[in-house]
Coordinates of all heavy atoms in Angstrom, one line a residue:
I1 N -47.7 -8.5 -95.5 CA -48.3 -7.3 -96.2 C -49.3 -7.8 -97.2 O -50.4 -7.2 -97.3 CB -47.2 -6.5 -96.8 CG1 -46.4 -5.8 -95.7 CG2 -47.8 -5.4 -97.7 CD1 -45.1 -5.1 -96.2
A2 N -49.0 -8.8 -98.0 CA -49.9 -9.3 -99.0 C -51.2 -9.8 -98.3 O -52.3 -9.5 -98.8 CB -49.3 -10.4 -99.8
R3 N -51.0 -10.5 -97.2 CA -52.2 -11.1 -96.5 C -53.1 -10.0 -96.0 O -54.3 -10.0 -96.1 CB -51.7 -12.0 -95.4 CG -52.7 -12.9 -94.8 CD -52.2 -13.9 -93.8 NE -51.2 -13.4 -93.0 CZ -50.0 -14.0 -92.7 NH1 -49.7 -15.1 -93.2 NH2 -49.2 -13.4 -91.9
A4 N -52.5 -8.9 -95.5 CA -53.2 -7.8 -95.0 C -54.0 -7.0 -96.1 O -55.1 -6.6 -96.0 CB -52.3 -6.8 -94.3
L5 N -53.3 -6.9 -97.3 CA -53.9 -6.2 -98.4 C -55.0 -6.9 -99.1 O -55.8 -6.3 -99.8 CB -52.8 -5.8 -99.4 CG -51.8 -4.8 -98.9 CD1 -50.7 -4.6 -99.9 CD2 -52.5 -3.5 -98.6
V6 N -55.1 -8.2 -99.0 CA -56.2 -9.0 -99.6 C -57.5 -8.5 -99.2 O -58.5 -8.5 -99.9 CB -56.0 -10.5 -99.3 CG1 -57.3 -11.3 -99.6 CG2 -54.8 -11.1 -100.0
Q7 N -57.6 -8.0 -97.9 CA -58.9 -7.5 -97.4 C -59.2 -6.1 -97.9 O -60.2 -5.5 -97.5 CB -58.9 -7.6 -95.9 CG -58.7 -8.9 -95.3 CD -59.9 -9.9 -95.7 OE1 -61.0 -9.5 -95.7 NE2 -59.5 -11.1 -96.0
D8 N -58.2 -5.5 -98.6 CA -58.4 -4.1 -99.1 C -58.7 -3.1 -98.0 O -59.6 -2.3 -98.1 CB -59.4 -4.0 -100.2 CG -59.3 -2.7 -101.0 OD1 -58.2 -2.2 -101.1 OD2 -60.4 -2.2 -101.4
P9 N -57.8 -3.0 -96.9 CA -58.0 -2.1 -95.9 C -57.7 -0.7 -96.3 O -56.8 -0.5 -97.1 CB -57.1 -2.6 -94.8 CG -55.9 -3.1 -95.5 CD -56.6 -3.8 -96.7
A10 N -58.3 0.3 -95.7 CA -57.9 1.7 -95.9 C -56.7 2.0 -95.1 O -55.9 3.0 -95.5 CB -59.1 2.6 -95.5
L11 N -56.5 1.3 -94.0 CA -55.3 1.6 -93.1 C -54.5 0.3 -93.0 O -55.0 -0.8 -92.7 CB -55.9 2.0 -91.7 CG -54.9 2.1 -90.6 CD1 -54.0 3.3 -90.8 CD2 -55.6 2.2 -89.3
L12 N -53.2 0.4 -93.2 CA -52.3 -0.7 -93.0 C -51.4 -0.4 -91.7 O -50.8 0.6 -91.7 CB -51.4 -0.9 -94.2 CG -50.4 -2.0 -94.2 CD1 -51.2 -3.4 -94.2 CD2 -49.6 -2.0 -95.4
R13 N -51.5 -1.3 -90.7 CA -50.8 -1.1 -89.5 C -49.5 -1.9 -89.5 O -49.5 -3.1 -89.8 CB -51.6 -1.5 -88.3 CG -52.8 -0.6 -88.1 CD -53.7 -1.1 -87.0 NE -54.3 -2.3 -87.5 CZ -54.9 -3.2 -86.8 NH1 -55.1 -2.9 -85.5 NH2 -55.4 -4.3 -87.3
C14 N -48.4 -1.3 -89.2 CA -47.1 -2.0 -89.2 C -46.4 -1.7 -87.9 O -46.3 -0.6 -87.4 CB -46.2 -1.4 -90.3 SG -46.9 -1.6 -91.9
D15 N -45.9 -2.8 -87.3 CA -45.1 -2.7 -86.0 C -43.7 -3.1 -86.3 O -43.4 -4.2 -86.7 CB -45.8 -3.7 -85.0 CG -45.1 -3.6 -83.7 OD1 -44.4 -2.6 -83.4 OD2 -45.3 -4.5 -82.9
E16 N -42.8 -2.1 -86.2 CA -41.4 -2.3 -86.4 C -41.1 -3.0 -87.7 O -40.6 -4.2 -87.8 CB -40.7 -3.1 -85.3 CG -40.8 -2.4 -83.9 CD -39.9 -1.2 -83.8 OE1 -39.1 -0.9 -84.7 OE2 -40.0 -0.5 -82.8
P17 N -41.4 -2.3 -88.9 CA -41.3 -3.0 -90.2 C -39.8 -3.5 -90.5 O -39.7 -4.3 -91.4 CB -41.7 -1.9 -91.1 CG -41.6 -0.6 -90.4 CD -41.8 -1.0 -89.0
K18 N -38.8 -2.9 -89.9 CA -37.4 -3.4 -90.1 C -36.9 -4.3 -89.1 O -35.8 -4.8 -89.2 CB -36.5 -2.2 -90.2 CG -36.6 -1.3 -91.5 CD -35.7 -0.1 -91.5 CE -34.2 -0.5 -91.3 NZ -33.3 0.7 -91.5
G19 N -37.8 -4.6 -88.1 CA -37.4 -5.5 -87.0 C -37.0 -6.9 -87.6 O -37.6 -7.4 -88.5
N20 N -35.9 -7.4 -87.0 CA -35.4 -8.8 -87.4 C -34.9 -8.9 -88.9 O -34.8 -10.0 -89.4 CB -36.4 -9.9 -87.1 CG -36.7 -9.9 -85.7 OD1 -35.9 -9.8 -84.8 ND2 -38.0 -10.1 -85.4
L21 N -34.6 -7.7 -89.5 CA -34.1 -7.7 -90.9 C -32.7 -7.1 -90.9 O -32.5 -6.2 -90.1 CB -35.0 -7.0 -91.8 CG -36.5 -7.5 -92.0 CD1 -37.3 -6.5 -92.9 CD2 -36.4 -8.8 -92.6
D22 N -31.9 -7.6 -91.8 CA -30.6 -6.9 -92.0 C -30.9 -5.5 -92.6 O -32.0 -5.3 -93.1 CB -29.6 -7.7 -92.7 CG -30.0 -8.0 -94.2 OD1 -30.6 -7.1 -94.8 OD2 -29.8 -9.2 -94.6
S23 N -29.9 -4.6 -92.7 CA -30.2 -3.3 -93.2 C -30.7 -3.2 -94.6 O -31.5 -2.5 -95.0 CB -29.0 -2.4 -93.0 OG -27.8 -3.0 -93.4
A24 N -30.1 -4.1 -95.5 CA -30.5 -4.1 -96.9 C -32.0 -4.5 -97.0 O -32.8 -3.9 -97.7 CB -29.6 -5.0 -97.7
K25 N -32.4 -5.6 -96.3 CA -33.7 -6.1 -96.4 C -34.7 -5.1 -95.7 O -35.8 -5.0 -96.1 CB -33.8 -7.5 -95.9 CG -33.2 -8.5 -96.8 CD -33.3 -9.9 -96.2 CE -32.6 -10.9 -97.2 NZ -32.5 -12.2 -96.6
G26 N -34.2 -4.5 -94.7 CA -35.1 -3.5 -94.0 C -35.4 -2.3 -94.9 O -36.5 -1.8 -94.9
E27 N -34.4 -1.9 -95.7 CA -34.6 -0.8 -96.6 C -35.6 -1.2 -97.7 O -36.5 -0.4 -98.1 CB -33.3 -0.3 -97.3 CG -32.4 0.4 -96.3 CD -33.0 1.6 -95.7 OE1 -33.7 2.4 -96.3 OE2 -32.8 1.7 -94.4
L28 N -35.5 -2.5 -98.2 CA -36.5 -3.0 -99.1 C -37.9 -3.0 -98.6 O -38.9 -2.6 -99.3 CB -36.1 -4.4 -99.6 CG -34.9 -4.5 -100.5 CD1 -34.6 -6.0 -100.7 CD2 -35.2 -3.9 -101.8
A29 N -38.1 -3.4 -97.3 CA -39.4 -3.4 -96.7 C -40.0 -2.0 -96.6 O -41.1 -1.7 -96.9 CB -39.3 -4.0 -95.2
L30 N -39.1 -1.0 -96.3 CA -39.6 0.4 -96.2 C -39.9 0.9 -97.6 O -40.9 1.6 -97.8 CB -38.5 1.3 -95.6 CG -38.3 1.1 -94.1 CD1 -37.2 2.0 -93.6 CD2 -39.6 1.2 -93.3
E31 N -39.2 0.5 -98.6 CA -39.5 1.0 -100.0 C -40.8 0.4 -100.4 O -41.6 1.0 -101.1 CB -38.4 0.5 -100.9 CG -37.1 1.3 -100.8 CD -35.9 0.8 -101.6 OE1 -36.2 -0.1 -102.5 OE2 -34.8 1.1 -101.4
L32 N -41.1 -0.9 -100.0 CA -42.3 -1.5 -100.4 C -43.5 -0.8 -99.8 O -44.5 -0.5 -100.4 CB -42.3 -3.0 -99.9 CG -43.6 -3.8 -100.1 CD1 -44.0 -3.9 -101.5 CD2 -43.5 -5.1 -99.4
L33 N -43.4 -0.4 -98.5 CA -44.4 0.4 -97.8 C -44.6 1.8 -98.5 O -45.8 2.2 -98.7 CB -44.1 0.6 -96.3 CG -44.2 -0.7 -95.5 CD1 -43.7 -0.4 -94.1 CD2 -45.6 -1.3 -95.5
E34 N -43.5 2.4 -98.9 CA -43.6 3.7 -99.5 C -44.3 3.6 -100.9 O -45.2 4.4 -101.2 CB -42.2 4.3 -99.8 CG -42.3 5.7 -100.3 CD -40.9 6.2 -100.5 OE1 -39.9 5.8 -99.8 OE2 -40.7 7.2 -101.3

């Protein structure tokens, strides 16, 4: 996410943001996107 944001895009594309994460870390990833 940080690497993508360095370019200051208007649109951030995410593919399965909770993929390969346990439920607690998946929730953190979604909170970060929110």
Side-chain angles (χ1 to χ4, degrees):
I1 291 169
R3 196 171 40 226
L5 291 174
V6 165
Q7 300 297 321
D8 194 30
L11 172 70
L12 184 63
R13 295 173 293 168
C14 302
D15 184 14
E16 297 291 355
K18 286 178 57 173
N20 299 321
L21 296 175
D22 62 41
S23 44
K25 289 181 181 173
E27 291 304 316
L28 287 173
L30 292 178
E31 287 173 15
L32 175 62
L33 290 174
E34 184 178 339

